[in-house]
PDB file of all heavy atoms in Angstrom:
ATOM      1  N   GLN A  91      17.976 -34.766  14.134  1.00 98.00           N
ATOM      2  CA  GLN A  91      16.682 -34.953  13.468  1.00 98.00           C
ATOM      3  C   GLN A  91      15.877 -36.093  14.088  1.00 98.00           C
ATOM      4  O   GLN A  91      14.642 -35.982  14.209  1.00 98.00           O
ATOM      5  CB  GLN A  91      16.886 -35.198  11.963  1.00 98.00           C
ATOM      6  CG  GLN A  91      17.552 -34.039  11.203  1.00 98.00           C
ATOM      7  CD  GLN A  91      16.677 -32.800  11.089  1.00 98.00           C
ATOM      8  OE1 GLN A  91      16.103 -32.340  12.063  1.00 98.00           O
ATOM      9  NE2 GLN A  91      16.606 -32.245   9.882  1.00 98.00           N
ATOM     10  N   LEU A  95      13.600 -32.525  17.915  1.00 97.00           N
ATOM     11  CA  LEU A  95      13.606 -31.344  18.767  1.00 97.00           C
ATOM     12  C   LEU A  95      12.764 -30.219  18.182  1.00 97.00           C
ATOM     13  O   LEU A  95      12.393 -29.284  18.896  1.00 97.00           O
ATOM     14  CB  LEU A  95      15.040 -30.860  18.977  1.00 97.00           C
ATOM     15  CG  LEU A  95      16.014 -31.879  19.601  1.00 97.00           C
ATOM     16  CD1 LEU A  95      17.410 -31.296  19.658  1.00 97.00           C
ATOM     17  CD2 LEU A  95      15.533 -32.284  20.992  1.00 97.00           C
ATOM     18  N   TYR A  96      12.500 -30.306  16.888  1.00 97.00           N
ATOM     19  CA  TYR A  96      11.748 -29.256  16.202  1.00 97.00           C
ATOM     20  C   TYR A  96      10.530 -29.879  15.521  1.00 97.00           C
ATOM     21  O   TYR A  96      10.562 -31.033  15.087  1.00 97.00           O
ATOM     22  CB  TYR A  96      12.628 -28.552  15.174  1.00 97.00           C
ATOM     23  CG  TYR A  96      13.918 -28.031  15.770  1.00 97.00           C
ATOM     24  CD1 TYR A  96      15.125 -28.714  15.562  1.00 97.00           C
ATOM     25  CD2 TYR A  96      13.927 -26.889  16.561  1.00 97.00           C
ATOM     26  CE1 TYR A  96      16.294 -28.255  16.132  1.00 97.00           C
ATOM     27  CE2 TYR A  96      15.100 -26.425  17.134  1.00 97.00           C
ATOM     28  CZ  TYR A  96      16.293 -27.114  16.916  1.00 97.00           C
ATOM     29  OH  TYR A  96      17.451 -26.663  17.482  1.00 97.00           O
ATOM     30  N   ARG A  97       9.490 -29.101  15.410  1.00 95.00           N
ATOM     31  CA  ARG A  97       8.256 -29.591  14.792  1.00 95.00           C
ATOM     32  C   ARG A  97       8.482 -29.934  13.316  1.00 95.00           C
ATOM     33  O   ARG A  97       7.840 -30.828  12.771  1.00 95.00           O
ATOM     34  CB  ARG A  97       7.183 -28.522  14.936  1.00 95.00           C
ATOM     35  CG  ARG A  97       5.812 -28.955  14.492  1.00 95.00           C
ATOM     36  CD  ARG A  97       4.780 -27.885  14.817  1.00 95.00           C
ATOM     37  NE  ARG A  97       3.449 -28.284  14.393  1.00 95.00           N
ATOM     38  CZ  ARG A  97       2.374 -27.535  14.569  1.00 95.00           C
ATOM     39  NH1 ARG A  97       2.477 -26.357  15.181  1.00 95.00           N
ATOM     40  NH2 ARG A  97       1.189 -27.950  14.152  1.00 95.00           N
ATOM     41  N   ASP A  98       9.398 -29.204  12.672  1.00 95.00           N
ATOM     42  CA  ASP A  98       9.676 -29.360  11.247  1.00 95.00           C
ATOM     43  C   ASP A  98      11.167 -29.641  11.091  1.00 95.00           C
ATOM     44  O   ASP A  98      12.008 -28.849  11.538  1.00 95.00           O
ATOM     45  CB  ASP A  98       9.292 -28.063  10.529  1.00 95.00           C
ATOM     46  CG  ASP A  98       9.413 -28.148   9.011  1.00 95.00           C
ATOM     47  OD1 ASP A  98      10.079 -29.077   8.508  1.00 95.00           O
ATOM     48  OD2 ASP A  98       8.859 -27.266   8.322  1.00 95.00           O
ATOM     49  N   ASP A  99      11.522 -30.747  10.453  1.00 97.00           N
ATOM     50  CA  ASP A  99      12.934 -31.091  10.246  1.00 97.00           C
ATOM     51  C   ASP A  99      13.696 -29.997   9.506  1.00 97.00           C
ATOM     52  O   ASP A  99      14.911 -29.856   9.665  1.00 97.00           O
ATOM     53  CB  ASP A  99      13.056 -32.395   9.443  1.00 97.00           C
ATOM     54  CG  ASP A  99      12.781 -33.631  10.291  1.00 97.00           C
ATOM     55  OD1 ASP A  99      12.597 -33.490  11.513  1.00 97.00           O
ATOM     56  OD2 ASP A  99      12.758 -34.736   9.724  1.00 97.00           O
ATOM     57  N   LYS A 100      12.998 -29.243   8.691  1.00 97.00           N
ATOM     58  CA  LYS A 100      13.673 -28.204   7.913  1.00 97.00           C
ATOM     59  C   LYS A 100      14.275 -27.124   8.807  1.00 97.00           C
ATOM     60  O   LYS A 100      15.263 -26.472   8.432  1.00 97.00           O
ATOM     61  CB  LYS A 100      12.691 -27.583   6.906  1.00 97.00           C
ATOM     62  CG  LYS A 100      13.353 -26.690   5.855  1.00 97.00           C
ATOM     63  CD  LYS A 100      12.346 -26.185   4.836  1.00 97.00           C
ATOM     64  CE  LYS A 100      13.029 -25.440   3.703  1.00 97.00           C
ATOM     65  NZ  LYS A 100      13.757 -24.238   4.155  1.00 97.00           N
ATOM     66  N   GLN A 101      13.710 -26.954   9.986  1.00 97.00           N
ATOM     67  CA  GLN A 101      14.191 -25.882  10.857  1.00 97.00           C
ATOM     68  C   GLN A 101      15.670 -26.074  11.194  1.00 97.00           C
ATOM     69  O   GLN A 101      16.456 -25.120  11.137  1.00 97.00           O
ATOM     70  CB  GLN A 101      13.364 -25.816  12.139  1.00 97.00           C
ATOM     71  CG  GLN A 101      13.809 -24.694  13.081  1.00 97.00           C
ATOM     72  CD  GLN A 101      12.868 -24.472  14.235  1.00 97.00           C
ATOM     73  OE1 GLN A 101      11.706 -24.889  14.192  1.00 97.00           O
ATOM     74  NE2 GLN A 101      13.345 -23.825  15.288  1.00 97.00           N
ATOM     75  N   PHE A 102      16.059 -27.283  11.552  1.00 98.00           N
ATOM     76  CA  PHE A 102      17.458 -27.490  11.953  1.00 98.00           C
ATOM     77  C   PHE A 102      18.424 -27.225  10.805  1.00 98.00           C
ATOM     78  O   PHE A 102      19.426 -26.525  10.986  1.00 98.00           O
ATOM     79  CB  PHE A 102      17.671 -28.908  12.489  1.00 98.00           C
ATOM     80  CG  PHE A 102      19.130 -29.228  12.681  1.00 98.00           C
ATOM     81  CD1 PHE A 102      19.900 -28.510  13.589  1.00 98.00           C
ATOM     82  CD2 PHE A 102      19.744 -30.214  11.919  1.00 98.00           C
ATOM     83  CE1 PHE A 102      21.253 -28.776  13.744  1.00 98.00           C
ATOM     84  CE2 PHE A 102      21.089 -30.484  12.063  1.00 98.00           C
ATOM     85  CZ  PHE A 102      21.849 -29.762  12.980  1.00 98.00           C
ATOM     86  N   VAL A 103      18.146 -27.762   9.620  1.00 98.00           N
ATOM     87  CA  VAL A 103      19.114 -27.612   8.520  1.00 98.00           C
ATOM     88  C   VAL A 103      19.127 -26.201   7.948  1.00 98.00           C
ATOM     89  O   VAL A 103      19.963 -25.885   7.096  1.00 98.00           O
ATOM     90  CB  VAL A 103      18.876 -28.655   7.403  1.00 98.00           C
ATOM     91  CG1 VAL A 103      19.258 -30.041   7.885  1.00 98.00           C
ATOM     92  CG2 VAL A 103      17.436 -28.627   6.912  1.00 98.00           C
ATOM     93  N   ASP A 104      18.229 -25.333   8.416  1.00 98.00           N
ATOM     94  CA  ASP A 104      18.251 -23.921   8.026  1.00 98.00           C
ATOM     95  C   ASP A 104      18.919 -23.041   9.074  1.00 98.00           C
ATOM     96  O   ASP A 104      19.015 -21.823   8.889  1.00 98.00           O
ATOM     97  CB  ASP A 104      16.823 -23.419   7.765  1.00 98.00           C
ATOM     98  CG  ASP A 104      16.218 -23.977   6.489  1.00 98.00           C
ATOM     99  OD1 ASP A 104      16.929 -24.697   5.765  1.00 98.00           O
ATOM    100  OD2 ASP A 104      15.032 -23.709   6.217  1.00 98.00           O
ATOM    101  N   MET A 105      19.397 -23.630  10.164  1.00 98.00           N
ATOM    102  CA  MET A 105      20.014 -22.852  11.244  1.00 98.00           C
ATOM    103  C   MET A 105      21.494 -22.617  10.961  1.00 98.00           C
ATOM    104  O   MET A 105      22.245 -23.567  10.766  1.00 98.00           O
ATOM    105  CB  MET A 105      19.832 -23.583  12.574  1.00 98.00           C
ATOM    106  CG  MET A 105      18.388 -23.609  13.058  1.00 98.00           C
ATOM    107  SD  MET A 105      18.054 -24.809  14.395  1.00 98.00           S
ATOM    108  CE  MET A 105      19.228 -24.308  15.629  1.00 98.00           C
ATOM    109  N   PRO A 106      21.939 -21.360  10.931  1.00 98.00           N
ATOM    110  CA  PRO A 106      23.361 -21.075  10.706  1.00 98.00           C
ATOM    111  C   PRO A 106      24.219 -21.518  11.896  1.00 98.00           C
ATOM    112  O   PRO A 106      23.742 -21.645  13.029  1.00 98.00           O
ATOM    113  CB  PRO A 106      23.406 -19.546  10.561  1.00 98.00           C
ATOM    114  CG  PRO A 106      21.990 -19.119  10.320  1.00 98.00           C
ATOM    115  CD  PRO A 106      21.142 -20.131  11.012  1.00 98.00           C
ATOM    116  N   GLN A 143      22.590 -20.781  15.400  1.00 97.00           N
ATOM    117  CA  GLN A 143      21.742 -19.602  15.517  1.00 97.00           C
ATOM    118  C   GLN A 143      20.328 -19.941  15.038  1.00 97.00           C
ATOM    119  O   GLN A 143      20.114 -20.963  14.385  1.00 97.00           O
ATOM    120  CB  GLN A 143      22.303 -18.459  14.674  1.00 97.00           C
ATOM    121  CG  GLN A 143      23.719 -18.047  15.036  1.00 97.00           C
ATOM    122  CD  GLN A 143      24.280 -17.034  14.056  1.00 97.00           C
ATOM    123  OE1 GLN A 143      23.543 -16.256  13.458  1.00 97.00           O
ATOM    124  NE2 GLN A 143      25.599 -17.054  13.879  1.00 97.00           N
ATOM    125  N   ALA A 144      19.399 -19.069  15.342  1.00 96.00           N
ATOM    126  CA  ALA A 144      18.017 -19.294  14.913  1.00 96.00           C
ATOM    127  C   ALA A 144      17.921 -19.232  13.394  1.00 96.00           C
ATOM    128  O   ALA A 144      18.662 -18.502  12.737  1.00 96.00           O
ATOM    129  CB  ALA A 144      17.109 -18.240  15.534  1.00 96.00           C
ATOM    130  N   MET A 145      17.013 -20.006  12.839  1.00 95.00           N
ATOM    131  CA  MET A 145      16.809 -20.000  11.390  1.00 95.00           C
ATOM    132  C   MET A 145      16.368 -18.619  10.930  1.00 95.00           C
ATOM    133  O   MET A 145      15.722 -17.867  11.665  1.00 95.00           O
ATOM    134  CB  MET A 145      15.771 -21.052  10.981  1.00 95.00           C
ATOM    135  CG  MET A 145      14.390 -20.814  11.547  1.00 95.00           C
ATOM    136  SD  MET A 145      13.200 -22.110  11.139  1.00 95.00           S
ATOM    137  CE  MET A 145      12.998 -21.845   9.393  1.00 95.00           C
ATOM    138  N   ARG A 216       7.430 -21.490   5.619  1.00 87.00           N
ATOM    139  CA  ARG A 216       8.664 -22.205   5.975  1.00 87.00           C
ATOM    140  C   ARG A 216       9.725 -22.085   4.882  1.00 87.00           C
ATOM    141  O   ARG A 216      10.890 -22.431   5.108  1.00 87.00           O
ATOM    142  CB  ARG A 216       8.338 -23.683   6.239  1.00 87.00           C
ATOM    143  CG  ARG A 216       8.095 -24.509   4.997  1.00 87.00           C
ATOM    144  CD  ARG A 216       7.426 -25.839   5.302  1.00 87.00           C
ATOM    145  NE  ARG A 216       8.320 -26.855   5.813  1.00 87.00           N
ATOM    146  CZ  ARG A 216       8.894 -27.810   5.082  1.00 87.00           C
ATOM    147  NH1 ARG A 216       8.711 -27.830   3.761  1.00 87.00           N
ATOM    148  NH2 ARG A 216       9.647 -28.719   5.639  1.00 87.00           N
ATOM    149  N   GLU A 336      16.093 -32.176   4.939  1.00 97.00           N
ATOM    150  CA  GLU A 336      15.003 -31.314   5.411  1.00 97.00           C
ATOM    151  C   GLU A 336      13.770 -32.108   5.829  1.00 97.00           C
ATOM    152  O   GLU A 336      12.830 -31.534   6.393  1.00 97.00           O
ATOM    153  CB  GLU A 336      14.633 -30.303   4.318  1.00 97.00           C
ATOM    154  CG  GLU A 336      13.808 -30.848   3.162  1.00 97.00           C
ATOM    155  CD  GLU A 336      14.594 -31.630   2.115  1.00 97.00           C
ATOM    156  OE1 GLU A 336      15.788 -31.906   2.323  1.00 97.00           O
ATOM    157  OE2 GLU A 336      13.988 -31.968   1.070  1.00 97.00           O
TER     158      GLU A 336
END
Side-chain angles (χ1 to χ4, degrees):
Q91 298 291 48
L95 302 176
Y96 306 103
R97 187 174 180 179
D98 185 344
D99 283 355
K100 192 176 187 298
Q101 181 171 341
F102 170 63
V103 290
D104 288 356
M105 291 165 56
Q143 302 173 29
M145 63 183 291
R216 76 195 281 263
E336 76 281 8

